[in-house]
Amino acid sequence: MPETILVVDDDPDIARFVEVNLRSAGYEVAVAGDGEEAIRKALELRPDLVLLDVMMPKVDGFEVAQRLRRNPRTGNTSIIMVTAKALSTDKVLGLTAGADDYIIKPFDPIELLARVKGTLRRAREMRNLSPLTGLPGNIRIQEEIERCVREGKAFAVLYADLDHFKAYNDQRGFVRGDRLIQMTAGVIQDAVLELAGAEGFVGHVGGDDFVAVVPPEVAEDVAKRICERFDREVRDFYDPEDLERGYVLVEDRRGVLQEVPLVAISIGVATTARRAFAHYGEAVAVATEMKQFAKRETGSSYAVDRRAAD
């Protein structure tokens, strides 16, 4: 489905020029001739982006941007301010009013399209980020693995999740549970950055599930480092008596005390060192299967698929 752009300009010739260029690039385009009409149409259409002229009668672009940002229906809409002035004060005013970018008249159609594409791309990426960890979500995870498959790259997928997390979350509460998830994200990111550098990728599937994509030659070292660091840092989430016992006493629904092990991390590793993957789902399925093997071990552990393809 094409993305929708609302063009706001009181000069009909400029508005038409912009509309034609955006439509030729494949966008759906609506036009408004003043600030009040822009706000009405934005609330009605909920466009992906508003291309907003600063100097307009009735309501100027700065106020339009502020009102769009304050309204829940348009609060996340991307905004590019269009100004005839190159003054830094105008740029600052536009950005503080809530604009994502600005462009100065007269502008080249190529620059306009580049700004539009860049702003929409960043908005898509932000929508795909986990609000809890700031890591890319499912769409970006799938895109990254599919890219590796398509380009014929050697890669390994690490699928990690936490053991006994639900019991911890139920007993200690969501705030501490969220902090534990954030700690896990940091441990995985640090390990991937240190051992894979710019070639590494980390995504947050949701809940306590994470995926990392790294070169095959460092995959096992990454998994090992994650387990070691997680076991060190998770100690901060328990009382000394829990650590000494090695488990937490939790009442079940019948009021009977149960011994629940400390939270641990399990990681399954699928790698092209042993087999080729034809698509995203195949790599994730193997990593998930190996994660189940890792869960059979006590405490944090990982399992690497070492089977050759048939």
Side-chain angles (χ1 to χ4, degrees):
M1 185 176 176
E3 289 163 305
T4 302
I5 298 174
L6 175 62
V7 176
V8 185
D9 201 304
D10 63 323
D11 185 325
D13 292 331
I14 293 176
R16 179 61 182 162
F17 169 77
V18 173
E19 179 186 7
V20 168
N21 278 279
L22 292 175
R23 285 192 185 279
S24 67
Y27 297 107
E28 292 286 338
V29 183
V31 176
D34 60 58
E36 292 290 358
E37 184 185 6
I39 293 165
R40 286 197 308 274
K41 286 195 172 181
L43 292 173
E44 176 191 343
L45 300 172
R46 300 183 72 174
D48 298 284
L49 183 146
V50 177
L51 199 62
L52 180 59
D53 189 36
V54 170
M55 302 301 292
M56 290 186 298
K58 299 182 183 177
V59 182
D60 68 21
F62 299 129
E63 185 176 341
V64 172
Q66 289 173 335
R67 286 167 65 174
L68 292 179
R69 282 286 174 256
R70 286 197 298 264
N71 193 301
R73 290 180 62 84
T74 53
N76 293 322
T77 300
S78 297
I79 300 172
I80 296 179
M81 304 290 281
V82 181
T83 176
K85 300 177 181 178
L87 297 175
S88 60
T89 50
D90 287 319
K91 298 172 189 176
V92 170
L93 280 172
L95 295 172
T96 54
D100 299 280
D101 200 357
Y102 60 86
I103 188 169
I104 298 167
K105 293 180 182 178
F107 47 78
D108 182 84
I110 296 173
E111 182 190 0
L112 171 68
L113 289 174
R115 297 271 187 172
V116 166
K117 288 177 182 176
T119 300
L120 288 172
R121 185 191 68 248
R122 289 192 296 274
R124 286 193 298 271
E125 289 173 352
M126 287 302 295
R127 284 196 297 271
N128 292 331
L129 294 181
S130 160
L132 179 60
T133 61
L135 291 173
N138 286 312
I139 294 173
R140 279 287 294 114
I141 293 169
Q142 181 170 344
E143 287 175 348
E144 179 65 19
I145 297 173
E146 285 178 342
R147 182 185 67 80
C148 292
V149 172
R150 186 173 62 251
E151 295 177 2
K153 287 184 65 176
F155 68 96
V157 173
L158 283 69
Y159 198 136
D161 74 9
L162 301 182
D163 306 329
H164 317 299
F165 174 73
K166 185 179 184 304
Y168 181 93
N169 206 41
D170 290 345
Q171 186 197 34
R172 303 297 171 96
F174 289 108
V175 172
R176 292 187 72 175
D178 284 352
R179 287 177 186 158
L180 181 50
I181 297 265
Q182 291 167 334
M183 179 275 282
T184 305
V187 165
I188 296 172
Q189 282 180 290
D190 288 347
V192 170
L193 181 62
E194 288 170 16
L195 295 168
E199 293 185 74
F201 170 90
V202 181
H204 186 185
V205 177
D208 59 320
D209 288 51
F210 296 86
V211 167
V213 182
V214 300
E217 61 271 17
V218 301
E220 189 163 353
D221 289 337
V222 170
K224 183 179 180 182
R225 186 162 296 185
I226 290 169
C227 290
E228 291 172 347
R229 288 198 175 171
F230 180 87
D231 284 346
R232 284 202 304 270
E233 298 199 19
V234 79
R235 295 176 66 84
D236 294 336
F237 290 81
Y238 288 97
D239 300 325
E241 54 268 30
D242 297 327
L243 296 172
E244 189 175 343
R245 280 194 307 260
Y247 59 84
V248 180
L249 292 171
V250 179
E251 277 192 13
D252 64 15
R253 290 172 183 168
R254 294 170 297 179
V256 179
L257 286 175
Q258 301 286 334
E259 296 179 3
V260 177
L262 305 184
V263 176
I265 192 166
S266 293
I267 305 170
V269 183
T271 168
T272 58
R274 291 284 179 167
R275 64 171 77 195
F277 297 113
H279 54 82
Y280 154 82
E282 188 180 348
V284 171
V286 172
T288 304
E289 181 186 3
M290 299 314 299
K291 185 182 65 172
Q292 298 310 313
F293 278 107
K295 285 182 178 293
R296 296 177 185 176
E297 302 293 327
T298 302
S300 295
S301 61
Y302 63 90
V304 182
D305 180 34
R306 305 187 192 279
R307 300 165 296 181
D310 296 333

